[in-house]
């Protein structure tokens, strides 16, 4: 009774399935379609309108629509085409007479990663040093594995690069 007085509709008795039978639930705001089907329907309607208007313009040859509207229709069509095309680059090794069959086969996997100092297997927990070697947790610091990398020079270069010298022009004496 209260619904009749206020003009509101009673809530639906249960969830409404999508009218396209995609398996998802629809809503009354989306014409009883799920969000994906509703979006696809709207997109198809917009494309049909654009195609119909461009077809009319071509057939009639009329210039009733403004130039900016034509440009947006053309830009939208180009954008849709660009989205639908995927570019895949595939590199194929060239086969020369000097190329052997062994070089084409995939190379075997190198042994397990190990610490350079103690030869302990580190796996994914290994630490790469700036010297380029792999170390375990106890040898990861530069003083523990006698690292040949010059940290002092690298630090100086980084500071010099980050803070360039600014020299002002000399002032003339009065």
């Amino acid at each position: 009774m209260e619904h009749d007085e206020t003009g509101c509709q009673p809530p639906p008795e249960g969830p409404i399935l999508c009218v396209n039978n995609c398996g998802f639930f629809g809503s009354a705001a989306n014409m009883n379609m799920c969000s994906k089907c509703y979006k696809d329907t709207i997109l198809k309607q917009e494309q049909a309108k654009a195609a119909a208007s461009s077809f009319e313009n071509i057939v009639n040859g009329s210039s009733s629509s403004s130039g900016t509207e034509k440009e947006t229709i053309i830009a939208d069509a180009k954008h849709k085409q660009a989205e639908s095309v995927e570019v895949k680059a595939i590199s194929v090794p060239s086969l020369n007479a000097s190329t052997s069959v062994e070089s084409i086969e995939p190379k075997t996997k190198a042994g397990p990663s190990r610490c350079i100092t103690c030869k302990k297997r580190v796996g994914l927990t290994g630490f790469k040093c700036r010297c380029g070697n792999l170390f375990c947790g106890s040898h990861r610091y530069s003083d523990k594995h006698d690292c040949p990398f010059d940290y002092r020079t690298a630090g100086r270069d980084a500071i010099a690069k980050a803070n360039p010298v600014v020299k002002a022009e000399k002032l003339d004496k009065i």
Side-chain angles (χ1 to χ4, degrees):
M1 284 190 161
E2 292 179 25
H3 297 292
D4 294 335
E5 294 172 4
T6 59
C8 296
Q9 296 178 354
E13 295 174 7
I16 303 168
L17 288 175
C18 179
V19 293
N20 289 343
N21 294 325
C22 65
F24 291 101
F25 295 111
S27 68
N30 295 343
M31 298 185 302
N32 292 333
M33 288 189 242
C34 66
S35 60
K36 185 178 183 313
C37 294
Y38 181 73
K39 185 172 71 172
D40 292 343
T41 304
I42 297 297
L43 184 66
K44 286 178 185 177
Q45 288 175 355
E46 288 177 0
Q47 288 177 350
K49 286 179 186 177
S53 65
S54 64
F55 183 70
E56 280 183 21
N57 290 341
I58 292 171
V59 170
N60 295 337
S62 64
S63 61
S64 62
S65 64
S66 64
T68 58
E69 186 178 327
K70 289 180 182 178
E71 291 173 1
T72 56
I73 292 171
I74 292 171
D76 287 341
K78 287 182 181 179
H79 182 66
K80 301 283 188 219
Q81 290 175 355
E83 287 180 352
S84 64
V85 176
E86 289 185 26
V87 178
K88 293 183 180 179
I90 301 173
S91 60
V92 178
S94 60
L95 296 175
N96 296 336
S98 63
T99 308
S100 65
V101 177
E102 294 174 3
S103 64
I104 296 174
E105 293 178 5
K107 300 196 178 202
T108 59
K109 187 177 177 182
S113 52
R114 295 181 179 269
C115 174
I116 298 296
T117 306
C118 64
K119 306 294 186 217
K120 179 180 174 183
R121 291 178 74 167
V122 290
L124 296 174
T125 60
F127 295 92
K128 268 208 172 251
C129 182
R130 284 184 159 179
C131 63
N133 296 325
L134 190 68
F135 297 99
C136 64
S138 59
H139 294 110
R140 66 182 174 181
Y141 300 112
S142 60
D143 59 335
K144 298 291 181 184
H145 66 265
D146 298 327
C147 187
F149 186 79
D150 190 8
Y151 286 94
R152 180 176 291 162
T153 306
R156 286 181 185 159
D157 293 341
I159 290 172
K161 186 176 181 181
N163 302 318
V165 176
V166 179
K167 237 182 190 181
E169 295 180 17
K170 291 187 176 182
L171 297 174
D172 295 331
K173 291 186 179 181
I174 299 178

